[in-house]
Structure formats: structure tokens, C-alpha cells
Amino acid sequence: MKLAVQSELFRQIPSVDDVMRLPGISALAALSGHGPAVDAARAVLSRLRQEIASHLLNEEGLTLALSTLPKAVEKQLRDSVRYSLQSVINATGVILHTNLGRSPLSDAAIDHIRETATTYSNLEFDLIAGERGKRDVHVDRLFAQLLQENVIGNHAANVSTIVVNNNAAAVLLALNTIAEGGEVIVSRGELVEIGGSFRIPDVMAKSSAILREVGTTNRTRIADYEGAISDRTRLLLRVHRSNFEISGFTEEASTQDLVRLARDRGIPLVEDLGSGALFDLHSVGIKSERGVLDSLRLGVDLVTYSGDKLLGGPQAGLISGEPQLVERLRSNPMFRALRVDKLVYAALEATLLAYIRGDHDSIPALRMMRLSKDEIGRRAEALKSQINSSKLQLDIVDGESLLGGGAAPSSVLPTRLLALVCTGLSADELADRLRKSDHPIIVRVDQGRVMLDLRTVFPDEDGLVASALELAAL
Ligand SMILES: *Cc1c(COP(=O)(O)O)cnc(C)c1O
């Protein structure tokens, strides 16, 4: 396109004032406010100028665009006031998907948030004494109930728990409180990076503790820890490897040996569990993960874990264990900066009460874990029978769902997958259309097929998935 032609196109673009005088637009401005409407008009005009500059619009294209200006401004305005954070359908089969918000909250959690957050609450007010209280009490007693009774027997310990923003904050607070200026001994096989830039050596540096690495990547013995203990040692740290496994010629110190060593030397042992299940994972056939209770029973002094991983609650970091250590963490000024708000306490309290009632199925992530392969297969069959498209070929095949959220990579659950092929569309194109549908659907693509795992789809979303599939195949 010649420059002269281009400048002629630029000249045809109306001013913002002109656009605002168009009949459709003034009605729009009356409805949504003059300011937002002007912003929308400006954005649309600026997009047109960019398209001309990058030769994406010719004379004909511009004429068409100008004739539909009010519509474009209206759409821009709608998009600008639309929520960015929105509900999506997770058909990946990854139950605790960090990119998709990890654990969905239970109805009880949402109800409790609504009950307590839309009015004033006793967040930090002791209703019996009529004076200032602590926000932790609302969940500490529930954690104690869940953990304490079960730990007693092995060593009659009390268990306290405090809540911070997430598990990264929990690790930071524990290290800073117990080990600031001193050394923390960690196995080289556990110096992990968890997604989203949580790296043990970096967190250690920010906590002002000094990392003392022992052992090798694949083998660390208890003697390695023992040999590294000095008068500078403040803490022994064990970290769950979360997103990878070491196999082959490997060795690691047992937690029992670490507990014994820590007790002998009078040094606290802290374990970053990552996921931290509060229920028996064996009940869903997962044997490779240890829960919070397992660690406390073995005598680990403090365990840190996330609220929105295997626990199935809101984003939070929990630190449970020896009351005196927990009290030290609580009096660290850093705790004040990492504390959570009333919404999180409300959601946590409701989630923990479900555990206490034994009502695991009311917690969505737990319910999904407990779904049988047959049940998922039956839903897949029902969904398949709803689809009436000559372009879609649907098969139902065996597959695996993942716990995700940093549970051991081998923590998989057998499932049935809907495998899809669409005439005229590649698997990636079909996945793209599903992701961009009105209610976005996130899927896996495997060997040229789109794979849907209904384990992570809420049953009342099955119908939406069926209609989105038909629409995407059109
Ligand atoms: C997930 C995980 C973390 C980070 O937890 P957040 O709650 O996301 O901050 C830290 N350590 C381990 C071992 C983890 O698995």
C-alpha cells in the first residue's frame, strides 16, 4: 500500500467526538456513563489506526469497520467491564491444577464466607470475655481436634496450628523464626523448585537462614546430617519433592532417623509437606504420599502444608506442630505481614468441619478423588450419547487422572477418558475452540486426540460440555 493511500485511510477515521455523536453511542453513554464510553471509542479508533499502519485494513475493510462502529464500541465497552477472573470447566483430570485455581471450595465454605463476611464478625473479638481475641482461635481448635487426638498415643503431644497466606509463606516464617542467622540442614536431593518460583535455596536466603546442603542429589544418609551439625545449626529441614521423583540408585534418611537425631541434639525438625493430606490417602488407593498426621505421629516438630492442595480448602499455608514452636512463629512480626483475612478463615473453618463430620464428599477435591473409574465411565457414556454430530468421533478409553498440586508425580487415579477426533480440525484446533467457548473448557491433547476426563468436571457441567463440543465441531 502506498503511503499516500495510507494517509488517506487515516483521514477517514473520525474523531472521538464524532463517534460520541453517533446515534447508537449516545444511548450507550447514557447507560454506562460518558467516561467509559469515551474510553471504549478511543480504544476502537486506536485499534483501527494500528490496523491501517500494519497494512491489515484496506479501503474496503475500513469502510466496513466504520459502518459498524457503534457495534464495535459497544463490544469494547462490554469487554472492559467484564470479569477477567471467570469460571472454567476443568476437563484435564488434574484435580489440584495450580493454573486453574487448585481446589474448588465447598458449598459450606461459600455459605460461611457469605454469612460472616457480608456483616461484621467476631474475627478478633472474644464474645465470652468481651475483649479483643485472636483470629487463629477459629481454626486452631479444629486442627487440634483433627490432629491431636490422633497423634496422642505415640507421644502425648499437643498440636497447635497457625495460618498464613500460603505454604511458601509458611516455610519462610518457620525458617526465619527458628533459624535466622543460623544454619538449616537440607539434603541435596530436596533442594527443589516448585512451580511459580518457589525455590528452597531462595526462600532460605530470604529468611536470613544459611543453607547447609548435605548428601548428594540421589543419596543422603542420616550420617550426612549428623556430620553437618554444629553449634550454628538451628533446624533440620525435610522437603517433599512434590513435582519430581528420584529413582534408581537412591537413598534417603528415614523420617524416624531424622526425628531421633533431632531429639538427641535438641534441634527442631521441620517438614515442608507441600500438599499435606488430612485424610487417609490409602482410601483412594494412593500409597506414595504421607499425610500431616503421619509426619506428626513420627515426631516431626512442625509440618507446613497448603490449604488449597490435598486439604481441599482455600489458599493458605498451615503450620502445625509443637505448641511452643508455633507460639514463637506467632510472635514473629513477619507473621503479622503474612496473616490471612476473614474470608480464608471462614472457608477453612467450614472445610475443617466437614472433615470432623467425616463428610469428605462435601469437599469437591476429595469427592473427585473418591470417584470410581466406573462412575466416570458411565458419565462419559451418557455424555457421548447426547452428542449428535457427524463430524465428531468419540471413543471412551482407559486413562489416568492426576492429583496435581505437587503431590507425587506417581499419584494417579485410574479413569475413563472421552477421546475426541473432529473431521476438518486438528486436536489443537479443537482444544483451542473449546478453550475459547462461552464457558471455557480446558482439555488435554494426547497423540492427536482431545482427551476429556470427567473426574474434574462437575456433574452439572456435563451438559455444557456436550453442547460446547457440538458447537466447536460445527
Ligand atoms: C506446593 C508446594 C509449596 C508451595 O505451596 P504454596 O501454597 O503454593 O505456596 C511449597 N513446598 C512444597 C513441597 C509444595 O509442594
Short mmCIF file of all heavy atoms in Angstrom, two decimals, residues 71-111:
data_model
loop_
_atom_site.label_atom_id
_atom_site.label_comp_id
_atom_site.label_asym_id
_atom_site.label_seq_id
_atom_site.Cartn_x
_atom_site.Cartn_y
_atom_site.Cartn_z
N LYS A 71 -21.38 -0.83 16.96
CA LYS A 71 -21.32 -2.21 17.46
C LYS A 71 -19.96 -2.50 18.10
O LYS A 71 -19.88 -3.13 19.16
CB LYS A 71 -21.56 -3.19 16.30
CG LYS A 71 -23.00 -3.55 16.10
CD LYS A 71 -23.11 -5.01 15.63
CE LYS A 71 -24.41 -5.64 16.08
NZ LYS A 71 -25.58 -4.83 15.71
N ALA A 72 -18.90 -2.04 17.43
CA ALA A 72 -17.54 -2.29 17.92
C ALA A 72 -17.32 -1.61 19.27
O ALA A 72 -16.73 -2.18 20.18
CB ALA A 72 -16.51 -1.82 16.91
N VAL A 73 -17.85 -0.37 19.38
CA VAL A 73 -17.69 0.37 20.65
C VAL A 73 -18.48 -0.33 21.76
O VAL A 73 -17.99 -0.48 22.89
CB VAL A 73 -18.15 1.83 20.49
CG1 VAL A 73 -18.09 2.56 21.84
CG2 VAL A 73 -17.28 2.55 19.47
N GLU A 74 -19.65 -0.80 21.39
CA GLU A 74 -20.47 -1.49 22.37
C GLU A 74 -19.78 -2.74 22.89
O GLU A 74 -19.74 -3.02 24.09
CB GLU A 74 -21.82 -1.87 21.74
CG GLU A 74 -22.82 -2.34 22.76
CD GLU A 74 -24.12 -2.83 22.11
OE1 GLU A 74 -24.39 -2.45 20.97
OE2 GLU A 74 -24.82 -3.60 22.78
N LYS A 75 -19.16 -3.50 21.96
CA LYS A 75 -18.47 -4.73 22.36
C LYS A 75 -17.26 -4.39 23.25
O LYS A 75 -17.01 -5.04 24.27
CB LYS A 75 -18.01 -5.50 21.13
CG LYS A 75 -17.29 -6.78 21.48
CD LYS A 75 -17.02 -7.66 20.28
CE LYS A 75 -16.40 -9.01 20.70
NZ LYS A 75 -15.27 -8.88 21.60
N GLN A 76 -16.55 -3.35 22.84
CA GLN A 76 -15.37 -2.92 23.62
C GLN A 76 -15.79 -2.56 25.05
O GLN A 76 -15.13 -2.92 26.02
CB GLN A 76 -14.74 -1.71 22.92
CG GLN A 76 -13.56 -1.09 23.66
CD GLN A 76 -12.32 -1.96 23.58
OE1 GLN A 76 -12.14 -2.70 22.61
NE2 GLN A 76 -11.48 -1.90 24.61
N LEU A 77 -16.90 -1.86 25.14
CA LEU A 77 -17.40 -1.42 26.44
C LEU A 77 -17.79 -2.64 27.29
O LEU A 77 -17.47 -2.72 28.46
CB LEU A 77 -18.61 -0.52 26.22
CG LEU A 77 -19.09 0.33 27.39
CD1 LEU A 77 -17.98 1.24 27.88
CD2 LEU A 77 -20.28 1.18 26.95
N ARG A 78 -18.45 -3.58 26.63
CA ARG A 78 -18.86 -4.80 27.34
C ARG A 78 -17.64 -5.56 27.86
O ARG A 78 -17.58 -6.00 28.99
CB ARG A 78 -19.66 -5.69 26.39
CG ARG A 78 -20.97 -6.13 27.00
CD ARG A 78 -21.77 -7.09 26.13
NE ARG A 78 -21.11 -7.60 24.97
CZ ARG A 78 -21.53 -7.41 23.72
NH1 ARG A 78 -22.60 -6.70 23.49
NH2 ARG A 78 -20.89 -7.94 22.70
N ASP A 79 -16.62 -5.70 26.96
CA ASP A 79 -15.41 -6.44 27.36
C ASP A 79 -14.69 -5.75 28.51
O ASP A 79 -14.12 -6.40 29.37
CB ASP A 79 -14.45 -6.58 26.18
CG ASP A 79 -14.98 -7.58 25.16
OD1 ASP A 79 -15.97 -8.27 25.48
OD2 ASP A 79 -14.42 -7.66 24.05
N SER A 80 -14.74 -4.41 28.50
CA SER A 80 -13.96 -3.69 29.50
C SER A 80 -14.58 -3.77 30.89
O SER A 80 -13.88 -3.59 31.88
CB SER A 80 -13.77 -2.22 29.10
OG SER A 80 -15.01 -1.56 29.19
N VAL A 81 -15.87 -4.06 30.96
CA VAL A 81 -16.47 -4.19 32.28
C VAL A 81 -16.77 -5.64 32.64
O VAL A 81 -17.43 -5.93 33.62
CB VAL A 81 -17.78 -3.35 32.42
CG1 VAL A 81 -17.46 -1.88 32.30
CG2 VAL A 81 -18.80 -3.78 31.39
N ARG A 82 -16.24 -6.54 31.81
CA ARG A 82 -16.46 -7.96 32.09
C ARG A 82 -15.43 -8.43 33.10
O ARG A 82 -14.31 -7.94 33.14
CB ARG A 82 -16.29 -8.74 30.79
CG ARG A 82 -17.22 -9.91 30.69
CD ARG A 82 -17.03 -10.65 29.42
NE ARG A 82 -15.61 -10.97 29.21
CZ ARG A 82 -15.15 -11.50 28.10
NH1 ARG A 82 -15.95 -11.73 27.09
NH2 ARG A 82 -13.88 -11.79 27.97
N TYR A 83 -15.80 -9.43 33.92
CA TYR A 83 -14.81 -10.02 34.82
C TYR A 83 -13.71 -10.66 34.02
O TYR A 83 -13.96 -11.29 32.99
CB TYR A 83 -15.46 -11.09 35.70
CG TYR A 83 -16.32 -10.55 36.79
CD1 TYR A 83 -17.64 -10.94 36.92
CD2 TYR A 83 -15.80 -9.64 37.72
CE1 TYR A 83 -18.44 -10.46 37.94
CE2 TYR A 83 -16.59 -9.15 38.74
CZ TYR A 83 -17.91 -9.55 38.85
OH TYR A 83 -18.68 -9.08 39.85
N SER A 84 -12.49 -10.51 34.49
CA SER A 84 -11.36 -11.21 33.89
C SER A 84 -11.24 -12.60 34.51
O SER A 84 -11.02 -13.60 33.82
CB SER A 84 -10.09 -10.41 34.15
OG SER A 84 -8.97 -11.21 34.01
N LEU A 85 -11.42 -12.66 35.83
CA LEU A 85 -11.40 -13.95 36.52
C LEU A 85 -12.75 -14.61 36.32
O LEU A 85 -13.78 -14.03 36.66
CB LEU A 85 -11.15 -13.69 38.01
CG LEU A 85 -11.00 -14.90 38.94
CD1 LEU A 85 -9.81 -15.74 38.54
CD2 LEU A 85 -10.86 -14.43 40.38
N GLN A 86 -12.77 -15.77 35.69
CA GLN A 86 -14.05 -16.40 35.41
C GLN A 86 -14.01 -17.89 35.63
O GLN A 86 -12.93 -18.49 35.72
CB GLN A 86 -14.47 -16.08 33.97
CG GLN A 86 -13.45 -16.53 32.94
CD GLN A 86 -13.89 -16.25 31.52
OE1 GLN A 86 -15.02 -16.52 31.13
NE2 GLN A 86 -13.00 -15.70 30.71
N SER A 87 -15.17 -18.48 35.71
CA SER A 87 -15.29 -19.92 35.90
C SER A 87 -14.89 -20.64 34.60
O SER A 87 -15.25 -20.21 33.51
CB SER A 87 -16.75 -20.22 36.25
OG SER A 87 -17.04 -21.56 36.02
N VAL A 88 -14.12 -21.71 34.73
CA VAL A 88 -13.82 -22.55 33.57
C VAL A 88 -14.13 -24.00 33.93
O VAL A 88 -14.24 -24.34 35.10
CB VAL A 88 -12.34 -22.45 33.10
CG1 VAL A 88 -11.92 -21.01 32.85
CG2 VAL A 88 -11.38 -23.12 34.08
N ILE A 89 -14.29 -24.82 32.89
CA ILE A 89 -14.52 -26.24 33.13
C ILE A 89 -13.18 -26.97 32.99
O ILE A 89 -12.52 -26.87 31.96
CB ILE A 89 -15.56 -26.79 32.14
CG1 ILE A 89 -16.92 -26.12 32.41
CG2 ILE A 89 -15.67 -28.31 32.24
CD1 ILE A 89 -18.01 -26.48 31.42
N ASN A 90 -12.80 -27.66 34.04
CA ASN A 90 -11.52 -28.36 34.04
C ASN A 90 -11.75 -29.80 33.60
O ASN A 90 -12.18 -30.63 34.38
CB ASN A 90 -10.92 -28.31 35.45
CG ASN A 90 -9.65 -29.15 35.59
OD1 ASN A 90 -9.11 -29.62 34.59
ND2 ASN A 90 -9.20 -29.33 36.82
N ALA A 91 -11.44 -30.08 32.34
CA ALA A 91 -11.59 -31.46 31.85
C ALA A 91 -10.23 -32.13 31.70
O ALA A 91 -10.09 -33.12 30.99
CB ALA A 91 -12.36 -31.47 30.53
N THR A 92 -9.22 -31.58 32.38
CA THR A 92 -7.86 -32.13 32.26
C THR A 92 -7.67 -33.37 33.11
O THR A 92 -6.74 -34.14 32.89
CB THR A 92 -6.79 -31.11 32.71
OG1 THR A 92 -6.98 -30.84 34.11
CG2 THR A 92 -6.88 -29.81 31.94
N GLY A 93 -8.52 -33.54 34.13
CA GLY A 93 -8.31 -34.68 35.04
C GLY A 93 -7.24 -34.41 36.08
O GLY A 93 -6.93 -35.28 36.88
N VAL A 94 -6.66 -33.21 36.07
CA VAL A 94 -5.70 -32.83 37.12
C VAL A 94 -6.52 -32.16 38.23
O VAL A 94 -7.05 -31.07 38.04
CB VAL A 94 -4.62 -31.86 36.59
CG1 VAL A 94 -3.62 -31.51 37.70
CG2 VAL A 94 -3.90 -32.46 35.39
N ILE A 95 -6.64 -32.84 39.37
CA ILE A 95 -7.59 -32.38 40.39
C ILE A 95 -7.15 -31.05 41.01
O ILE A 95 -7.96 -30.14 41.15
CB ILE A 95 -7.80 -33.46 41.48
CG1 ILE A 95 -8.37 -34.73 40.83
CG2 ILE A 95 -8.73 -32.95 42.57
CD1 ILE A 95 -8.49 -35.90 41.77
N LEU A 96 -5.87 -30.97 41.38
CA LEU A 96 -5.39 -29.72 42.01
C LEU A 96 -4.52 -28.99 41.00
O LEU A 96 -3.29 -29.06 41.05
CB LEU A 96 -4.61 -30.07 43.27
CG LEU A 96 -5.46 -30.86 44.27
CD1 LEU A 96 -4.60 -31.51 45.32
CD2 LEU A 96 -6.51 -29.96 44.91
N HIS A 97 -5.16 -28.33 40.05
CA HIS A 97 -4.46 -27.70 38.94
C HIS A 97 -4.13 -26.26 39.35
O HIS A 97 -5.02 -25.43 39.47
CB HIS A 97 -5.37 -27.73 37.72
CG HIS A 97 -4.65 -27.54 36.42
ND1 HIS A 97 -3.84 -26.46 36.18
CD2 HIS A 97 -4.60 -28.31 35.30
CE1 HIS A 97 -3.33 -26.56 34.96
NE2 HIS A 97 -3.78 -27.68 34.41
N THR A 98 -2.84 -25.99 39.55
CA THR A 98 -2.46 -24.67 40.07
C THR A 98 -2.90 -23.55 39.13
O THR A 98 -3.34 -22.50 39.57
CB THR A 98 -0.94 -24.62 40.31
OG1 THR A 98 -0.62 -25.59 41.32
CG2 THR A 98 -0.50 -23.26 40.82
N ASN A 99 -2.85 -23.78 37.82
CA ASN A 99 -3.25 -22.74 36.87
C ASN A 99 -4.76 -22.51 36.87
O ASN A 99 -5.25 -21.49 36.40
CB ASN A 99 -2.81 -23.09 35.45
CG ASN A 99 -1.32 -23.30 35.34
OD1 ASN A 99 -0.86 -24.10 34.54
ND2 ASN A 99 -0.54 -22.62 36.18
N LEU A 100 -5.50 -23.51 37.34
CA LEU A 100 -6.96 -23.40 37.32
C LEU A 100 -7.52 -23.19 38.73
O LEU A 100 -8.67 -23.52 39.01
CB LEU A 100 -7.58 -24.65 36.67
CG LEU A 100 -7.09 -24.99 35.25
CD1 LEU A 100 -7.82 -26.21 34.69
CD2 LEU A 100 -7.27 -23.80 34.30
N GLY A 101 -6.68 -22.66 39.62
CA GLY A 101 -7.20 -22.28 40.94
C GLY A 101 -7.18 -23.36 42.00
O GLY A 101 -7.81 -23.22 43.05
N ARG A 102 -6.44 -24.44 41.73
CA ARG A 102 -6.35 -25.56 42.69
C ARG A 102 -7.72 -26.02 43.18
O ARG A 102 -8.59 -26.26 42.35
CB ARG A 102 -5.43 -25.19 43.86
CG ARG A 102 -3.98 -25.09 43.41
CD ARG A 102 -3.04 -25.15 44.58
NE ARG A 102 -1.66 -24.93 44.15
CZ ARG A 102 -0.73 -24.39 44.92
NH1 ARG A 102 -1.01 -23.99 46.14
NH2 ARG A 102 0.50 -24.24 44.46
N SER A 103 -7.94 -26.12 44.52
CA SER A 103 -9.18 -26.79 44.93
C SER A 103 -10.39 -25.86 44.88
O SER A 103 -10.35 -24.75 45.40
CB SER A 103 -9.02 -27.38 46.33
OG SER A 103 -8.54 -26.42 47.21
N PRO A 104 -11.46 -26.33 44.24
CA PRO A 104 -12.72 -25.56 44.30
C PRO A 104 -13.25 -25.63 45.74
O PRO A 104 -13.00 -26.62 46.43
CB PRO A 104 -13.65 -26.32 43.37
CG PRO A 104 -12.81 -27.32 42.63
CD PRO A 104 -11.61 -27.59 43.48
N LEU A 105 -13.94 -24.60 46.17
CA LEU A 105 -14.43 -24.57 47.56
C LEU A 105 -15.77 -25.30 47.68
O LEU A 105 -16.57 -25.35 46.75
CB LEU A 105 -14.58 -23.13 48.03
CG LEU A 105 -13.27 -22.36 48.20
CD1 LEU A 105 -13.55 -20.92 48.62
CD2 LEU A 105 -12.35 -23.03 49.21
N SER A 106 -16.00 -25.81 48.89
CA SER A 106 -17.27 -26.49 49.15
C SER A 106 -18.40 -25.47 49.28
O SER A 106 -18.15 -24.28 49.53
CB SER A 106 -17.17 -27.29 50.45
OG SER A 106 -17.02 -26.41 51.54
N ASP A 107 -19.62 -25.93 49.13
CA ASP A 107 -20.78 -25.04 49.32
C ASP A 107 -20.77 -24.46 50.72
O ASP A 107 -21.06 -23.28 50.93
CB ASP A 107 -22.09 -25.80 49.10
CG ASP A 107 -22.28 -26.20 47.64
OD1 ASP A 107 -21.63 -25.58 46.78
OD2 ASP A 107 -23.06 -27.15 47.39
N ALA A 108 -20.43 -25.31 51.69
CA ALA A 108 -20.42 -24.84 53.09
C ALA A 108 -19.41 -23.70 53.26
O ALA A 108 -19.68 -22.73 53.99
CB ALA A 108 -20.09 -26.00 54.02
N ALA A 109 -18.27 -23.81 52.58
CA ALA A 109 -17.25 -22.76 52.71
C ALA A 109 -17.79 -21.44 52.15
O ALA A 109 -17.63 -20.38 52.78
CB ALA A 109 -15.97 -23.18 51.96
N ILE A 110 -18.45 -21.51 51.00
CA ILE A 110 -19.00 -20.30 50.39
C ILE A 110 -20.11 -19.72 51.27
O ILE A 110 -20.19 -18.51 51.50
CB ILE A 110 -19.55 -20.60 48.97
CG1 ILE A 110 -18.39 -20.99 48.06
CG2 ILE A 110 -20.30 -19.40 48.40
CD1 ILE A 110 -17.28 -19.98 47.98
N ASP A 111 -20.97 -20.59 51.81
CA ASP A 111 -22.05 -20.12 52.69
C ASP A 111 -21.47 -19.43 53.92
O ASP A 111 -21.98 -18.38 54.35
CB ASP A 111 -22.92 -21.30 53.17
CG ASP A 111 -23.76 -21.87 52.04
OD1 ASP A 111 -23.87 -21.19 51.00
OD2 ASP A 111 -24.28 -22.99 52.19
#
